[in-house]
């Protein structure tokens, strides 16, 4: 609790500064803040502590140092959230390397070729040329769309089985 005389209050603030401020400064530094920000946060925490204790609202369950550290952490997190939400992306260099996660075309083509030439042509026409299955059925001489769908499925299964036999994973196809 804050004592009533000015001299006692000053002694208490000095004692609180000596005992609690190093912990607050370490915390804020660890969270990416500067020494000046730590001083500002601690000053705000002291004001909150003083106002609550003067109004007899505060009931400290541990000690004053821990109470001030808790207030400071709360204030820092609130300031940090506001700063992050209001920051501009203009000065940030963001680069993406899309090719890093793309499958290796040569390995993929190798396994598709092992399914057979007709399978390769059917899959290419459907996936690459985006030919509707009705048109693919006519082009490849299937009796209907259903037959083309079944054949496309069988071709994909041939490629999958080859990959399973070799015990390959998705990472094996990355460059």
């Amino acid at each position: 609790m804050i004592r009533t005389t000015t001299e006692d209050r000053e002694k208490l603030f000095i004692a609180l500064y000596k005992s609690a401020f190093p912990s607050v400064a370490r915390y804020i530094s660890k969270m990416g803040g500067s020494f000046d920000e730590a001083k500002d946060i601690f000053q705000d925490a002291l004001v909150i502590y003083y106002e609550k204790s003067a109004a007899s609202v505060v009931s400290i369950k541990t000690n004053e140092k821990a109470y001030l550290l808790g207030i400071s952490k709360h204030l820092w997190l609130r300031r940090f959230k506001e700063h992050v939400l209001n920051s501009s992306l203009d000065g940030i260099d963001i680069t993406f390397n899309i090719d890093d996660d793309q499958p290796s075309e040569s390995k993929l083509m190798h396994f598709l070729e092992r399914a057979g030439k007709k399978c390769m042509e059917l899959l290419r026409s459907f996936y690459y040329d985006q030919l509707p299955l009705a048109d693919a059925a006519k082009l490849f001489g299937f009796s209907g769309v259903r037959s083309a769908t079944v054949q496309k499925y069988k071709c994909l299964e041939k490629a999958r089985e080859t990959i399973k036999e070799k015990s390959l994973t998705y990472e094996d196809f990355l460059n």
Side-chain angles (χ1 to χ4, degrees), residues 4-48:
T4 54
T5 68
T6 306
E7 188 178 308
D8 287 342
R9 206 173 308 129
E10 280 181 32
K11 287 180 183 177
L12 177 64
F13 281 139
I14 291 170
L16 288 174
Y17 235 107
K18 286 180 180 177
S19 68
F21 181 69
S23 299
V24 170
R26 262 192 310 278
Y27 172 77
I28 291 177
S29 173
K30 186 171 72 172
M31 298 303 284
S34 68
F35 184 71
D36 288 333
E37 288 173 317
K39 289 192 296 188
D40 289 344
I41 292 290
F42 191 73
Q43 288 292 330
D44 292 345
L46 276 176
V47 169
I48 291 169

Side-chain angles (χ1 to χ4, degrees), residues 97-108:
N97 192 353
I98 296 172
D99 293 336
D100 285 349
D101 289 335
Q102 296 301 314
S104 170
E105 198 172 303
S106 63
K107 288 181 184 178
L108 192 55

Side-chain angles (χ1 to χ4, degrees), residues 34 48 60 64 83 85 89 101-102 105 132 143 150 162 167:
S34 68
I48 291 169
I60 299 174
E64 292 164 330
H83 175 71
L85 291 175
L89 294 177
D101 289 335
Q102 296 301 314
E105 198 172 303
S143 60
V150 169
T162 304
S167 297

